[in-house]
Amino acid sequence: MTIRIALISVFLCVSFQGSLAGAADDRCPPTQPDAQGPFYKPSVPLRDNTGTGLIIEGTVLTTETCEAIAGARVEWWQTAATGRYDDDHRGARLTDSEGRYRIETDFPPPYSGRPSHVHFKVFAPGHRTLTTQVYPEKGQRVIPFDFVLVPE
């Protein structure tokens, strides 16, 4: 019994110290960037959707405090059902007062050996711009996806 209590104490102590040591770094890790690709166009219109059937939603956060960023600009672009990029599948949203965004779009088809994907570019004052991609799986209709930005 004493050995079991001692082992539990050691385990809890090591676990607690490990969680404290990584708390600042692990609590809100930055979103990994991904390729922008050649089809990005700046100054896309603000809109809620570019199609139907796939919802991507989440919150834009800062790594510094893990707090939401209100007013961040979330841009997205993807291919149409033909596998070609077009202006109908480009849009932008501003996050609400709680840093949330929600877009609805068509499910992007795979093309030229690439899996289905939606490109994103996220801008927020005082933070590095993030360019990344979200990869929906076949049949997926809702994707929760937070963007975590790094301060400048």
Side-chain angles (χ1 to χ4, degrees), residues 40-50 71-78 87-95 100-105 118-123:
Y40 173 72
K41 288 185 179 179
S43 305
V44 295
L46 291 175
R47 57 173 97 178
D48 296 338
N49 65 62
T50 53
R73 182 178 173 92
V74 177
E75 296 183 357
W76 72 95
W77 66 100
Q78 69 180 74
D87 289 341
D88 291 338
H89 290 88
R90 299 176 191 280
R93 291 282 322 251
L94 297 178
T95 58
R100 295 177 303 207
Y101 76 95
R102 181 184 188 277
I103 68 153
E104 185 167 7
T105 190
V118 179
H119 297 268
F120 283 90
K121 196 168 191 86
V122 185
F123 305 86

mmCIF file of all heavy atoms in Angstrom, residues 40-50 71-78 87-95 100-105 118-123:
data_model
loop_
_atom_site.group_PDB
_atom_site.id
_atom_site.type_symbol
_atom_site.label_atom_id
_atom_site.label_comp_id
_atom_site.label_asym_id
_atom_site.label_seq_id
_atom_site.Cartn_x
_atom_site.Cartn_y
_atom_site.Cartn_z
ATOM 1 N N TYR A 40 -4.078 32.490 -55.231
ATOM 2 C CA TYR A 40 -4.573 33.488 -54.279
ATOM 3 C C TYR A 40 -4.799 34.819 -54.989
ATOM 4 O O TYR A 40 -3.990 35.242 -55.816
ATOM 5 C CB TYR A 40 -3.576 33.686 -53.136
ATOM 6 C CG TYR A 40 -3.952 34.822 -52.218
ATOM 7 C CD1 TYR A 40 -5.031 34.704 -51.350
ATOM 8 C CD2 TYR A 40 -3.253 36.024 -52.242
ATOM 9 C CE1 TYR A 40 -5.395 35.754 -50.512
ATOM 10 C CE2 TYR A 40 -3.600 37.074 -51.403
ATOM 11 C CZ TYR A 40 -4.674 36.936 -50.548
ATOM 12 O OH TYR A 40 -5.036 37.973 -49.729
ATOM 13 N N LYS A 41 -5.920 35.486 -54.660
ATOM 14 C CA LYS A 41 -6.205 36.837 -55.150
ATOM 15 C C LYS A 41 -6.570 37.693 -53.945
ATOM 16 O O LYS A 41 -7.486 37.350 -53.199
ATOM 17 C CB LYS A 41 -7.393 36.823 -56.117
ATOM 18 C CG LYS A 41 -7.123 36.226 -57.462
ATOM 19 C CD LYS A 41 -8.348 36.394 -58.353
ATOM 20 C CE LYS A 41 -8.134 35.823 -59.735
ATOM 21 N NZ LYS A 41 -9.342 35.981 -60.568
ATOM 22 N N PRO A 42 -5.887 38.807 -53.747
ATOM 23 C CA PRO A 42 -6.237 39.695 -52.630
ATOM 24 C C PRO A 42 -7.537 40.454 -52.916
ATOM 25 O O PRO A 42 -8.031 40.452 -54.048
ATOM 26 C CB PRO A 42 -5.052 40.653 -52.555
ATOM 27 C CG PRO A 42 -4.478 40.653 -53.935
ATOM 28 C CD PRO A 42 -4.742 39.288 -54.507
ATOM 29 N N SER A 43 -8.068 41.084 -51.890
ATOM 30 C CA SER A 43 -9.249 41.947 -52.004
ATOM 31 C C SER A 43 -10.507 41.208 -52.453
ATOM 32 O O SER A 43 -11.285 41.724 -53.253
ATOM 33 C CB SER A 43 -8.973 43.122 -52.952
ATOM 34 O OG SER A 43 -7.839 43.833 -52.538
ATOM 35 N N VAL A 44 -10.711 40.018 -51.930
ATOM 36 C CA VAL A 44 -11.946 39.296 -52.250
ATOM 37 C C VAL A 44 -13.100 39.892 -51.451
ATOM 38 O O VAL A 44 -12.895 40.500 -50.401
ATOM 39 C CB VAL A 44 -11.813 37.777 -51.969
ATOM 40 C CG1 VAL A 44 -10.774 37.164 -52.882
ATOM 41 C CG2 VAL A 44 -11.481 37.504 -50.522
ATOM 42 N N PRO A 45 -14.326 39.728 -51.940
ATOM 43 C CA PRO A 45 -15.467 40.342 -51.258
ATOM 44 C C PRO A 45 -15.812 39.655 -49.936
ATOM 45 O O PRO A 45 -15.587 38.453 -49.771
ATOM 46 C CB PRO A 45 -16.607 40.172 -52.266
ATOM 47 C CG PRO A 45 -16.225 38.986 -53.084
ATOM 48 C CD PRO A 45 -14.722 39.010 -53.151
ATOM 49 N N LEU A 46 -16.360 40.452 -49.014
ATOM 50 C CA LEU A 46 -16.890 39.883 -47.772
ATOM 51 C C LEU A 46 -18.178 39.153 -48.109
ATOM 52 O O LEU A 46 -19.044 39.688 -48.810
ATOM 53 C CB LEU A 46 -17.173 40.984 -46.741
ATOM 54 C CG LEU A 46 -15.952 41.689 -46.149
ATOM 55 C CD1 LEU A 46 -16.396 42.834 -45.250
ATOM 56 C CD2 LEU A 46 -15.094 40.715 -45.366
ATOM 57 N N ARG A 47 -18.286 37.922 -47.652
ATOM 58 C CA ARG A 47 -19.497 37.119 -47.852
ATOM 59 C C ARG A 47 -19.515 35.985 -46.853
ATOM 60 O O ARG A 47 -18.479 35.633 -46.286
ATOM 61 C CB ARG A 47 -19.606 36.613 -49.281
ATOM 62 C CG ARG A 47 -18.414 35.796 -49.745
ATOM 63 C CD ARG A 47 -18.641 35.169 -51.109
ATOM 64 N NE ARG A 47 -18.066 35.969 -52.162
ATOM 65 C CZ ARG A 47 -18.083 35.635 -53.433
ATOM 66 N NH1 ARG A 47 -18.665 34.529 -53.824
ATOM 67 N NH2 ARG A 47 -17.527 36.384 -54.347
ATOM 68 N N ASP A 48 -20.686 35.409 -46.632
ATOM 69 C CA ASP A 48 -20.843 34.313 -45.673
ATOM 70 C C ASP A 48 -20.611 32.951 -46.299
ATOM 71 O O ASP A 48 -20.289 31.996 -45.607
ATOM 72 C CB ASP A 48 -22.247 34.322 -45.062
ATOM 73 C CG ASP A 48 -22.510 35.567 -44.248
ATOM 74 O OD1 ASP A 48 -21.549 36.210 -43.814
ATOM 75 O OD2 ASP A 48 -23.693 35.881 -44.047
ATOM 76 N N ASN A 49 -20.849 32.855 -47.604
ATOM 77 C CA ASN A 49 -20.717 31.544 -48.224
ATOM 78 C C ASN A 49 -20.300 31.663 -49.679
ATOM 79 O O ASN A 49 -20.463 32.708 -50.299
ATOM 80 C CB ASN A 49 -22.019 30.747 -48.078
ATOM 81 C CG ASN A 49 -23.162 31.383 -48.835
ATOM 82 O OD1 ASN A 49 -23.116 31.499 -50.044
ATOM 83 N ND2 ASN A 49 -24.183 31.817 -48.120
ATOM 84 N N THR A 50 -19.772 30.558 -50.172
ATOM 85 C CA THR A 50 -19.414 30.437 -51.584
ATOM 86 C C THR A 50 -19.946 29.121 -52.125
ATOM 87 O O THR A 50 -19.388 28.548 -53.040
ATOM 88 C CB THR A 50 -17.881 30.517 -51.767
ATOM 89 O OG1 THR A 50 -17.262 29.549 -50.916
ATOM 90 C CG2 THR A 50 -17.348 31.900 -51.442
ATOM 91 N N GLY A 71 -12.569 40.828 -35.105
ATOM 92 C CA GLY A 71 -12.274 41.626 -36.292
ATOM 93 C C GLY A 71 -11.167 41.091 -37.175
ATOM 94 O O GLY A 71 -10.725 41.791 -38.095
ATOM 95 N N ALA A 72 -10.711 39.859 -36.955
ATOM 96 C CA ALA A 72 -9.704 39.266 -37.844
ATOM 97 C C ALA A 72 -10.361 38.993 -39.201
ATOM 98 O O ALA A 72 -11.550 38.693 -39.283
ATOM 99 C CB ALA A 72 -9.157 37.970 -37.250
ATOM 100 N N ARG A 73 -9.592 39.106 -40.252
ATOM 101 C CA ARG A 73 -10.111 38.836 -41.603
ATOM 102 C C ARG A 73 -9.711 37.420 -42.008
ATOM 103 O O ARG A 73 -8.524 37.086 -42.042
ATOM 104 C CB ARG A 73 -9.555 39.853 -42.596
ATOM 105 C CG ARG A 73 -10.075 39.679 -44.013
ATOM 106 C CD ARG A 73 -9.515 40.770 -44.928
ATOM 107 N NE ARG A 73 -9.853 40.542 -46.314
ATOM 108 C CZ ARG A 73 -10.922 41.031 -46.933
ATOM 109 N NH1 ARG A 73 -11.772 41.783 -46.263
ATOM 110 N NH2 ARG A 73 -11.145 40.771 -48.200
ATOM 111 N N VAL A 74 -10.711 36.598 -42.305
ATOM 112 C CA VAL A 74 -10.500 35.213 -42.718
ATOM 113 C C VAL A 74 -10.878 35.115 -44.194
ATOM 114 O O VAL A 74 -12.040 35.301 -44.548
ATOM 115 C CB VAL A 74 -11.365 34.244 -41.877
ATOM 116 C CG1 VAL A 74 -11.191 32.809 -42.354
ATOM 117 C CG2 VAL A 74 -11.044 34.374 -40.390
ATOM 118 N N GLU A 75 -9.900 34.851 -45.039
ATOM 119 C CA GLU A 75 -10.149 34.699 -46.472
ATOM 120 C C GLU A 75 -10.021 33.228 -46.856
ATOM 121 O O GLU A 75 -9.230 32.505 -46.275
ATOM 122 C CB GLU A 75 -9.137 35.512 -47.286
ATOM 123 C CG GLU A 75 -9.232 36.993 -47.069
ATOM 124 C CD GLU A 75 -8.266 37.784 -47.939
ATOM 125 O OE1 GLU A 75 -7.458 37.179 -48.698
ATOM 126 O OE2 GLU A 75 -8.304 39.011 -47.847
ATOM 127 N N TRP A 76 -10.801 32.806 -47.835
ATOM 128 C CA TRP A 76 -10.709 31.431 -48.324
ATOM 129 C C TRP A 76 -10.887 31.392 -49.833
ATOM 130 O O TRP A 76 -11.480 32.284 -50.428
ATOM 131 C CB TRP A 76 -11.714 30.512 -47.631
ATOM 132 C CG TRP A 76 -13.148 30.712 -48.024
ATOM 133 C CD1 TRP A 76 -13.847 30.019 -48.976
ATOM 134 C CD2 TRP A 76 -14.063 31.670 -47.493
ATOM 135 N NE1 TRP A 76 -15.131 30.486 -49.051
ATOM 136 C CE2 TRP A 76 -15.289 31.498 -48.152
ATOM 137 C CE3 TRP A 76 -13.969 32.664 -46.522
ATOM 138 C CZ2 TRP A 76 -16.410 32.277 -47.881
ATOM 139 C CZ3 TRP A 76 -15.081 33.447 -46.243
ATOM 140 C CH2 TRP A 76 -16.279 33.245 -46.922
ATOM 141 N N TRP A 77 -10.323 30.346 -50.443
ATOM 142 C CA TRP A 77 -10.488 30.099 -51.870
ATOM 143 C C TRP A 77 -10.299 28.620 -52.126
ATOM 144 O O TRP A 77 -9.633 27.915 -51.381
ATOM 145 C CB TRP A 77 -9.543 30.963 -52.702
ATOM 146 C CG TRP A 77 -8.077 30.683 -52.557
ATOM 147 C CD1 TRP A 77 -7.290 29.959 -53.412
ATOM 148 C CD2 TRP A 77 -7.201 31.134 -51.514
ATOM 149 N NE1 TRP A 77 -5.991 29.932 -52.952
ATOM 150 C CE2 TRP A 77 -5.914 30.647 -51.789
ATOM 151 C CE3 TRP A 77 -7.383 31.893 -50.347
ATOM 152 C CZ2 TRP A 77 -4.819 30.889 -50.962
ATOM 153 C CZ3 TRP A 77 -6.295 32.135 -49.526
ATOM 154 C CH2 TRP A 77 -5.035 31.647 -49.845
ATOM 155 N N GLN A 78 -10.943 28.159 -53.172
ATOM 156 C CA GLN A 78 -10.919 26.732 -53.502
ATOM 157 C C GLN A 78 -11.353 26.538 -54.946
ATOM 158 O O GLN A 78 -11.764 27.479 -55.608
ATOM 159 C CB GLN A 78 -11.870 25.961 -52.592
ATOM 160 C CG GLN A 78 -13.333 26.306 -52.908
ATOM 161 C CD GLN A 78 -14.304 25.567 -52.043
ATOM 162 O OE1 GLN A 78 -14.439 25.886 -50.884
ATOM 163 N NE2 GLN A 78 -14.987 24.588 -52.614
ATOM 164 N N ASP A 87 -13.751 32.823 -59.272
ATOM 165 C CA ASP A 87 -14.067 33.887 -58.313
ATOM 166 C C ASP A 87 -15.309 33.581 -57.475
ATOM 167 O O ASP A 87 -15.503 34.192 -56.421
ATOM 168 C CB ASP A 87 -14.221 35.222 -59.027
ATOM 169 C CG ASP A 87 -12.885 35.750 -59.539
ATOM 170 O OD1 ASP A 87 -11.836 35.285 -59.040
ATOM 171 O OD2 ASP A 87 -12.890 36.615 -60.430
ATOM 172 N N ASP A 88 -16.146 32.661 -57.929
ATOM 173 C CA ASP A 88 -17.338 32.293 -57.143
ATOM 174 C C ASP A 88 -16.977 31.520 -55.882
ATOM 175 O O ASP A 88 -17.800 31.386 -54.983
ATOM 176 C CB ASP A 88 -18.295 31.447 -57.991
ATOM 177 C CG ASP A 88 -18.941 32.255 -59.107
ATOM 178 O OD1 ASP A 88 -19.000 33.497 -58.986
ATOM 179 O OD2 ASP A 88 -19.376 31.640 -60.101
ATOM 180 N N HIS A 89 -15.771 30.987 -55.826
ATOM 181 C CA HIS A 89 -15.335 30.198 -54.672
ATOM 182 C C HIS A 89 -14.210 30.893 -53.903
ATOM 183 O O HIS A 89 -13.271 30.264 -53.423
ATOM 184 C CB HIS A 89 -14.928 28.789 -55.113
ATOM 185 C CG HIS A 89 -16.107 27.988 -55.537
ATOM 186 N ND1 HIS A 89 -16.582 27.990 -56.820
ATOM 187 C CD2 HIS A 89 -16.948 27.207 -54.820
ATOM 188 C CE1 HIS A 89 -17.654 27.226 -56.892
ATOM 189 N NE2 HIS A 89 -17.903 26.737 -55.701
ATOM 190 N N ARG A 90 -14.352 32.218 -53.802
ATOM 191 C CA ARG A 90 -13.438 33.056 -53.020
ATOM 192 C C ARG A 90 -14.282 33.954 -52.140
ATOM 193 O O ARG A 90 -15.296 34.484 -52.582
ATOM 194 C CB ARG A 90 -12.600 33.965 -53.923
ATOM 195 C CG ARG A 90 -11.733 33.249 -54.891
ATOM 196 C CD ARG A 90 -11.014 34.243 -55.819
ATOM 197 N NE ARG A 90 -10.387 33.531 -56.902
ATOM 198 C CZ ARG A 90 -9.237 32.887 -56.818
ATOM 199 N NH1 ARG A 90 -8.581 32.892 -55.678
ATOM 200 N NH2 ARG A 90 -8.740 32.247 -57.836
ATOM 201 N N GLY A 91 -13.847 34.125 -50.910
ATOM 202 C CA GLY A 91 -14.588 35.013 -50.033
ATOM 203 C C GLY A 91 -13.777 35.392 -48.815
ATOM 204 O O GLY A 91 -12.659 34.908 -48.615
ATOM 205 N N ALA A 92 -14.364 36.279 -48.009
ATOM 206 C CA ALA A 92 -13.723 36.727 -46.774
ATOM 207 C C ALA A 92 -14.805 36.999 -45.741
ATOM 208 O O ALA A 92 -15.938 37.360 -46.089
ATOM 209 C CB ALA A 92 -12.896 37.982 -47.019
ATOM 210 N N ARG A 93 -14.451 36.788 -44.489
ATOM 211 C CA ARG A 93 -15.318 37.095 -43.339
ATOM 212 C C ARG A 93 -14.483 37.805 -42.304
ATOM 213 O O ARG A 93 -13.289 37.571 -42.194
ATOM 214 C CB ARG A 93 -15.813 35.802 -42.665
ATOM 215 C CG ARG A 93 -16.776 34.936 -43.371
ATOM 216 C CD ARG A 93 -18.198 35.409 -43.349
ATOM 217 N NE ARG A 93 -18.680 36.023 -42.145
ATOM 218 C CZ ARG A 93 -19.552 35.486 -41.308
ATOM 219 N NH1 ARG A 93 -19.994 34.285 -41.503
ATOM 220 N NH2 ARG A 93 -19.984 36.164 -40.275
ATOM 221 N N LEU A 94 -15.148 38.634 -41.495
ATOM 222 C CA LEU A 94 -14.513 39.206 -40.318
ATOM 223 C C LEU A 94 -15.020 38.438 -39.114
ATOM 224 O O LEU A 94 -16.218 38.099 -39.048
ATOM 225 C CB LEU A 94 -14.851 40.693 -40.186
ATOM 226 C CG LEU A 94 -14.364 41.584 -41.325
ATOM 227 C CD1 LEU A 94 -14.808 43.025 -41.088
ATOM 228 C CD2 LEU A 94 -12.857 41.506 -41.486
ATOM 229 N N THR A 95 -14.133 38.152 -38.179
ATOM 230 C CA THR A 95 -14.582 37.441 -36.982
ATOM 231 C C THR A 95 -15.459 38.359 -36.146
ATOM 232 O O THR A 95 -15.316 39.584 -36.170
ATOM 233 C CB THR A 95 -13.385 36.942 -36.138
ATOM 234 O OG1 THR A 95 -12.574 38.056 -35.768
ATOM 235 C CG2 THR A 95 -12.568 35.916 -36.900
ATOM 236 N N ARG A 100 -15.095 34.539 -33.524
ATOM 237 C CA ARG A 100 -15.635 33.389 -34.268
ATOM 238 C C ARG A 100 -15.856 33.723 -35.741
ATOM 239 O O ARG A 100 -16.158 34.860 -36.089
ATOM 240 C CB ARG A 100 -16.958 32.949 -33.660
ATOM 241 C CG ARG A 100 -16.819 32.418 -32.241
ATOM 242 C CD ARG A 100 -18.163 32.071 -31.693
ATOM 243 N NE ARG A 100 -19.013 33.268 -31.752
ATOM 244 C CZ ARG A 100 -20.029 33.504 -30.949
ATOM 245 N NH1 ARG A 100 -20.374 32.632 -30.045
ATOM 246 N NH2 ARG A 100 -20.732 34.607 -31.064
ATOM 247 N N TYR A 101 -15.734 32.692 -36.566
ATOM 248 C CA TYR A 101 -16.056 32.797 -37.985
ATOM 249 C C TYR A 101 -16.834 31.546 -38.370
ATOM 250 O O TYR A 101 -16.777 30.510 -37.693
ATOM 251 C CB TYR A 101 -14.783 32.928 -38.842
ATOM 252 C CG TYR A 101 -14.066 31.613 -39.001
ATOM 253 C CD1 TYR A 101 -14.297 30.807 -40.107
ATOM 254 C CD2 TYR A 101 -13.197 31.144 -38.018
ATOM 255 C CE1 TYR A 101 -13.671 29.573 -40.233
ATOM 256 C CE2 TYR A 101 -12.568 29.925 -38.137
ATOM 257 C CZ TYR A 101 -12.808 29.140 -39.245
ATOM 258 O OH TYR A 101 -12.205 27.911 -39.358
ATOM 259 N N ARG A 102 -17.568 31.632 -39.473
ATOM 260 C CA ARG A 102 -18.299 30.483 -40.019
ATOM 261 C C ARG A 102 -18.483 30.728 -41.501
ATOM 262 O O ARG A 102 -18.978 31.779 -41.898
ATOM 263 C CB ARG A 102 -19.656 30.331 -39.356
ATOM 264 C CG ARG A 102 -20.467 29.147 -39.866
ATOM 265 C CD ARG A 102 -21.853 29.138 -39.200
ATOM 266 N NE ARG A 102 -22.605 27.953 -39.495
ATOM 267 C CZ ARG A 102 -23.330 27.765 -40.589
ATOM 268 N NH1 ARG A 102 -23.399 28.705 -41.512
ATOM 269 N NH2 ARG A 102 -23.995 26.638 -40.776
ATOM 270 N N ILE A 103 -18.063 29.775 -42.314
ATOM 271 C CA ILE A 103 -18.285 29.877 -43.753
ATOM 272 C C ILE A 103 -18.994 28.616 -44.219
ATOM 273 O O ILE A 103 -18.885 27.551 -43.599
ATOM 274 C CB ILE A 103 -16.975 30.063 -44.541
ATOM 275 C CG1 ILE A 103 -16.110 28.797 -44.485
ATOM 276 C CG2 ILE A 103 -16.202 31.270 -44.042
ATOM 277 C CD1 ILE A 103 -15.196 28.618 -45.664
ATOM 278 N N GLU A 104 -19.715 28.755 -45.308
ATOM 279 C CA GLU A 104 -20.289 27.581 -45.961
ATOM 280 C C GLU A 104 -19.862 27.628 -47.412
ATOM 281 O O GLU A 104 -19.876 28.684 -48.053
ATOM 282 C CB GLU A 104 -21.809 27.542 -45.855
ATOM 283 C CG GLU A 104 -22.372 26.262 -46.430
ATOM 284 C CD GLU A 104 -23.828 26.008 -46.089
ATOM 285 O OE1 GLU A 104 -24.476 26.894 -45.507
ATOM 286 O OE2 GLU A 104 -24.310 24.903 -46.416
ATOM 287 N N THR A 105 -19.466 26.489 -47.931
ATOM 288 C CA THR A 105 -18.970 26.403 -49.294
ATOM 289 C C THR A 105 -19.307 25.030 -49.873
ATOM 290 O O THR A 105 -19.836 24.166 -49.178
ATOM 291 C CB THR A 105 -17.448 26.686 -49.334
ATOM 292 O OG1 THR A 105 -17.044 26.819 -50.693
ATOM 293 C CG2 THR A 105 -16.638 25.601 -48.637
ATOM 294 N N VAL A 118 -9.347 23.378 -48.887
ATOM 295 C CA VAL A 118 -9.759 24.779 -48.945
ATOM 296 C C VAL A 118 -8.586 25.596 -48.403
ATOM 297 O O VAL A 118 -8.067 25.294 -47.331
ATOM 298 C CB VAL A 118 -11.029 25.044 -48.102
ATOM 299 C CG1 VAL A 118 -11.418 26.519 -48.158
ATOM 300 C CG2 VAL A 118 -12.188 24.152 -48.550
ATOM 301 N N HIS A 119 -8.182 26.603 -49.160
ATOM 302 C CA HIS A 119 -7.100 27.492 -48.731
ATOM 303 C C HIS A 119 -7.662 28.571 -47.808
ATOM 304 O O HIS A 119 -8.774 29.056 -48.019
ATOM 305 C CB HIS A 119 -6.482 28.203 -49.939
ATOM 306 C CG HIS A 119 -5.826 27.307 -50.925
ATOM 307 N ND1 HIS A 119 -4.488 27.004 -50.868
ATOM 308 C CD2 HIS A 119 -6.316 26.647 -52.000
ATOM 309 C CE1 HIS A 119 -4.177 26.209 -51.871
ATOM 310 N NE2 HIS A 119 -5.272 25.973 -52.576
ATOM 311 N N PHE A 120 -6.856 28.975 -46.820
ATOM 312 C CA PHE A 120 -7.219 30.064 -45.919
ATOM 313 C C PHE A 120 -6.037 31.001 -45.732
ATOM 314 O O PHE A 120 -4.881 30.559 -45.697
ATOM 315 C CB PHE A 120 -7.626 29.532 -44.538
ATOM 316 C CG PHE A 120 -9.006 28.959 -44.508
ATOM 317 C CD1 PHE A 120 -9.224 27.625 -44.782
ATOM 318 C CD2 PHE A 120 -10.101 29.767 -44.210
ATOM 319 C CE1 PHE A 120 -10.496 27.091 -44.763
ATOM 320 C CE2 PHE A 120 -11.379 29.246 -44.191
ATOM 321 C CZ PHE A 120 -11.585 27.907 -44.457
ATOM 322 N N LYS A 121 -6.356 32.284 -45.579
ATOM 323 C CA LYS A 121 -5.365 33.301 -45.236
ATOM 324 C C LYS A 121 -6.040 34.154 -44.167
ATOM 325 O O LYS A 121 -7.149 34.644 -44.373
ATOM 326 C CB LYS A 121 -4.994 34.120 -46.463
ATOM 327 C CG LYS A 121 -3.727 34.924 -46.321
ATOM 328 C CD LYS A 121 -3.316 35.446 -47.707
ATOM 329 C CE LYS A 121 -1.933 36.022 -47.694
ATOM 330 N NZ LYS A 121 -0.890 35.035 -47.900
ATOM 331 N N VAL A 122 -5.372 34.304 -43.011
ATOM 332 C CA VAL A 122 -5.975 34.995 -41.869
ATOM 333 C C VAL A 122 -5.093 36.185 -41.476
ATOM 334 O O VAL A 122 -3.891 36.029 -41.269
ATOM 335 C CB VAL A 122 -6.155 34.038 -40.670
ATOM 336 C CG1 VAL A 122 -6.883 34.734 -39.536
ATOM 337 C CG2 VAL A 122 -6.906 32.773 -41.095
ATOM 338 N N PHE A 123 -5.732 37.343 -41.380
ATOM 339 C CA PHE A 123 -5.054 38.601 -41.050
ATOM 340 C C PHE A 123 -5.609 39.154 -39.749
ATOM 341 O O PHE A 123 -6.831 39.171 -39.559
ATOM 342 C CB PHE A 123 -5.314 39.665 -42.132
ATOM 343 C CG PHE A 123 -4.947 39.248 -43.525
ATOM 344 C CD1 PHE A 123 -5.845 38.542 -44.312
ATOM 345 C CD2 PHE A 123 -3.717 39.595 -44.065
ATOM 346 C CE1 PHE A 123 -5.522 38.182 -45.613
ATOM 347 C CE2 PHE A 123 -3.393 39.233 -45.361
ATOM 348 C CZ PHE A 123 -4.295 38.529 -46.142
#
